[in-house]
Amino acid sequence: MFGCQCFYRKRTDQLAPSEPEPYSLPAPLPQWPQGQGFASGKINLGELEVIRVSRFKFIWSSNRQERKGVTFYKPVGIPEGFYSLGHYCQSNDQPFRGFVLAAREIPTESESAHFSTHVASPALREPLDYTLVWSSNDGSEERLEGCGFFWYPQPPEGYKSMGYLVTRSPKKPKLDKARCVRADLTDKCENYRVILDAGTSFSEFPFQVWSTRPSHRGMLGRGVSVGTFSCNSCWTPGQELPTACLMNLDPKLHAMPNCDLIHALINHYGPIVFFHPDEIYMPSSVSWFFENGALLFKKGDLVGESIDVDGSNLPSGGRNDREFWIDLPRGDRRNSIKLGNLESAKLYVHVKPALGGTFTDIAMWIFCPFNGPATLKLGVMNFALSKIGQHVCDWEHFTLRICNFTGELWSIYFSQHSGGVWVNAYDLEYIQGNKAIVYSSKSGHASFPHPGTYIQGSAKLGIGIRNDAARSNFYVDSSTQYELVAAEYLGDGVVSEPGWLQFMRQWGPTIVYDSRTELDKIINMLPLMLQYSVANIFSKLPVELYGEGGPTGPKEKNNWVGDERA
């Protein structure tokens, strides 16, 4: 499974960095309302209790001279009775904001220890031995100084290792420096992002270090990220990792926020959503849209039905069978309702567990009655398209991820058409205290963390659909202009879901534009040497740009239950 691959890296004499100073949000955290276990610093997972350790001591760095290097740390200051599960690492070009979990076994007489099926074996055990996975040393004893050695804890039968240890000598770590976890208390994890790729400079000795995440994520996933890393010299995609993550077996998810905490979190962190100064198609509330003439159509009927202000007469449940859809009213009101109504606009909030209930995801959905046509960028030239990209109704969202150990904002997910990106808290733009800014792109309403022009296509060639984001006097303050529409983990009836949320069909009619003709006219204007490249880029753009139909509502999206697409 493993094997030691070694190389010698030319070193420079430098003092090891001191204990790293962790990143802090722009403003202090408030005194949160009382809750079961939210922001208490520890989380009960059933037979295990875990704490977040964010104090570290430097061990080894792949390149201390350059910001592109990676530094490895061991956790320090672990309270008595808790045990380390592995070491931590991160790139040198990021502010320091990491953690690993330390765990202790909950006494069997504790009520919480009965969340999982009782097994006689202890929840935590020392490894049997360590296997050297990789070393930066070339095998020469004269060159040991400054080298890093990576160790895999060999778990006892029926147990799983949670991470790796790093040392500065070829001597194995002591067995009591880490703990392995009983297998029934763990879940599968997967490699997420490459942190270090030694093979790029030393292809003779391939070695990669990855961040990991639980394989089973989303609202129903119980996998808990430990914060450790994965490393290997011969991993292939799809291969099961020798390490695992923890599993939350607490059925009540005690660390999740209650209703009072949800509102406090939104009031404190709710971003300001800025729309482009040239935006025409503004958001509105759903009730404003219904009140101003939106119609429900059924297949085969030419005359639509008015929709109740709360959507109570919309067909609910089921799936998108294309038997029903919502459309704009006919006549003069059709064009006016397209423009939306910023004064009525609000964010529709869905709160759900993330990473086994150790984080809270606050998904904020915004509704626009119309999505405007796209603008095509070809180098220095811009073409305003007449049809491509436009459709009736537009649902977009962004998601705040909150750490349940402390109540800190950890990151925000920015949804961008058919995908999106997670942005760490230290890379956000803040406007007031800990309120971040979300920029909604012109016409398409995709979310971005900073102003600018984002290309959907080939940013390198400057060819694709423009997403222009900028600050203006048009904005919605999500910390006050919001409605909580769902939080299933709180139990039935705690949050009253509006009737329109159960509408699983399309918010907009199916319209197929002759987009190929419009694009061909533009392509034919280009030099022959560019025509093929541009046509190839167009073929890879999301199909929704070509107007196949209106979007489905929030609850029909796969990220309503699942994790965000990133």
Side-chain angles (χ1 to χ4, degrees):
M1 183 184 297
F2 299 100
C4 178
Q5 299 284 357
C6 306
F7 70 79
Y8 173 68
R9 179 189 293 275
K10 184 178 179 181
R11 292 177 285 104
T12 57
D13 292 329
Q14 270 195 339
L15 291 174
S18 59
E19 191 175 311
E21 185 68 27
Y23 166 85
S24 296
L25 291 169
L29 298 186
Q31 183 69 42
W32 301 114
Q34 202 165 18
Q36 292 183 103
F38 181 80
S40 66
K42 57 186 179 181
I43 294 179
N44 192 319
L45 302 182
E47 288 191 40
L48 290 175
E49 184 178 68
V50 292
I51 59 169
R52 191 185 80 159
V53 181
S54 54
R55 284 186 56 206
F56 294 95
K57 184 176 180 180
F58 169 84
I59 303 174
W60 180 76
S61 182
S62 66
N63 194 330
R64 282 177 278 169
Q65 273 196 319
E66 299 183 25
R67 289 173 61 83
K68 65 181 180 182
V70 176
T71 300
F72 296 82
Y73 302 90
K74 67 177 179 180
V76 295
I78 298 176
E80 186 176 353
F82 286 85
Y83 299 96
S84 171
L85 302 175
H87 287 176
Y88 172 78
C89 74
Q90 75 164 53
S91 299
N92 295 338
D93 60 354
Q94 301 173 355
F96 194 86
R97 202 193 190 204
F99 70 89
V100 292
L101 300 186
R104 76 176 182 95
E105 188 166 0
I106 295 176
T108 54
E109 63 270 14
S110 169
E111 178 186 354
S112 55
H114 296 290
F115 288 149
S116 61
T117 303
H118 180 71
V119 179
S121 302
L124 300 171
R125 284 187 61 182
E126 292 181 357
L128 301 176
D129 199 358
Y130 292 95
T131 299
L132 182 63
V133 178
W134 181 84
S135 169
S136 63
N137 178 253
D138 65 350
S140 171
E141 293 188 8
E142 291 79 16
R143 293 172 173 172
L144 290 177
E145 183 182 354
C147 291
F149 298 82
F150 289 69
W151 304 92
Y152 171 72
Q154 296 179 12
E157 185 177 355
Y159 287 76
K160 292 281 189 178
S161 294
M162 300 288 106
Y164 295 80
L165 275 62
V166 182
T167 64
R168 281 181 285 180
S169 82
K171 186 178 179 181
K172 293 180 180 181
K174 294 180 179 179
L175 295 179
D176 64 358
K177 294 300 181 183
R179 290 295 187 274
C180 301
V181 180
R182 205 175 66 228
D184 63 304
L185 305 179
T186 70
D187 202 358
K188 287 184 179 180
C189 67
E190 63 188 28
N191 285 340
Y192 183 33
R193 290 174 177 160
V194 175
I195 302 174
L196 173 65
D197 190 350
T200 57
S201 301
F202 302 88
S203 57
E204 185 180 357
F205 304 106
F207 179 71
Q208 290 183 322
V209 175
W210 297 71
S211 64
T212 63
R213 62 182 183 180
S215 299
H216 306 120
R217 299 182 304 281
M219 187 166 71
L220 305 179
R222 290 303 182 105
V224 173
S225 179
V226 180
T228 54
F229 58 87
S230 167
C231 61
N232 47 63
S233 58
C234 54
W235 179 78
T236 56
Q239 179 183 353
E240 186 173 339
L241 300 181
T243 54
C245 64
L246 294 172
M247 183 187 293
N248 192 346
L249 298 174
D250 173 6
K252 296 183 179 179
L253 298 178
H254 284 75
M256 289 294 294
N258 57 27
C259 265
D260 290 340
L261 279 162
I262 288 173
H263 292 295
L265 288 166
I266 295 172
N267 295 157
H268 186 73
Y269 291 122
I272 306 296
V273 184
F274 280 106
F275 295 86
H276 194 275
D278 297 327
E279 181 61 76
I280 298 173
Y281 304 105
M282 292 293 178
S284 76
S285 67
V286 172
S287 59
W288 179 91
F289 180 60
F290 291 163
E291 286 177 316
N292 282 269
L295 298 172
L296 172 67
F297 284 84
K298 182 178 181 180
K299 191 174 181 179
D301 291 345
L302 298 179
V303 180
E305 174 188 351
S306 296
I307 303 173
D308 295 342
V309 67
D310 60 355
S312 58
N313 63 325
L314 291 171
S316 63
R319 57 184 177 84
N320 181 24
D321 53 13
R322 300 184 183 273
E323 291 292 318
F324 297 88
W325 63 90
I326 294 173
D327 200 356
L328 303 174
R330 308 300 183 191
D332 295 338
R333 283 198 302 171
R334 184 176 183 85
N335 288 328
S336 63
I337 199 174
K338 282 184 180 181
L339 304 181
N341 180 262
L342 188 62
E343 290 73 23
S344 71
K346 63 174 71 173
L347 281 297
Y348 296 98
V349 178
H350 176 213
V351 184
K352 56 183 178 176
L355 301 178
T358 56
F359 286 81
T360 295
D361 276 1
I362 302 176
M364 295 189 146
W365 294 85
I366 193 158
F367 172 76
C368 297
F370 197 75
N371 192 96
T375 298
L376 178 65
K377 181 176 176 61
L378 294 177
V380 297
M381 298 182 293
N382 295 290
F383 299 88
L385 304 175
S386 61
K387 295 289 186 181
I388 296 176
Q390 72 175 24
H391 53 80
V392 174
C393 295
D394 191 23
W395 279 105
E396 298 291 346
H397 81 285
F398 53 88
T399 298
L400 282 63
R401 179 157 287 180
I402 309 295
C403 176
N404 289 351
F405 286 98
T406 61
E408 294 174 279
L409 173 66
W410 200 254
S411 56
I412 294 181
Y413 178 80
F414 293 82
S415 176
Q416 298 160 359
H417 305 299
S418 57
V421 60
W422 282 105
V423 177
N424 289 314
Y426 52 71
D427 281 331
L428 298 170
E429 185 178 333
Y430 295 91
I431 188 169
Q432 178 185 357
N434 292 328
K435 291 181 170 67
I437 293 177
V438 173
Y439 292 92
S440 179
S441 65
K442 180 178 178 291
S443 295
H445 312 122
S447 301
F448 295 92
H450 303 288
T453 298
Y454 300 83
I455 303 299
Q456 190 177 1
S458 174
K460 183 178 180 180
L461 297 176
I463 299 174
I465 301 299
R466 288 181 63 124
N467 288 273
D468 293 295
R471 193 182 297 200
S472 72
N473 292 325
F474 307 129
Y475 65 88
V476 177
D477 182 352
S478 70
S479 70
T480 57
Q481 295 168 263
Y482 72 93
E483 179 183 341
L484 180 61
V485 296
E488 294 91 339
Y489 71 91
L490 290 175
D492 294 339
V494 177
V495 176
S496 179
E497 297 187 2
W500 57 260
L501 188 60
Q502 318 306 323
F503 181 66
M504 300 300 180
R505 279 79 172 185
Q506 286 176 242
W507 290 63
T510 298
I511 303 173
V512 179
Y513 304 124
D514 188 10
S515 55
R516 189 71 256 174
T517 300
E518 188 173 10
L519 291 177
D520 285 343
K521 287 179 180 178
I522 296 172
I523 292 173
N524 291 335
M525 296 168 55
L526 302 174
L528 283 174
M529 65 180 68
L530 288 178
Q531 288 185 14
Y532 176 78
S533 297
V534 172
N536 187 50
I537 291 171
F538 285 169
S539 69
K540 298 177 181 177
L541 293 175
V543 294
E544 58 262 28
L545 283 171
Y546 302 115
E548 277 77 2
T552 51
K555 208 167 188 178
E556 180 70 4
K557 311 291 187 186
N558 55 18
N559 60 310
W560 182 269
V561 173
D563 198 11
E564 301 289 0
R565 292 177 288 182

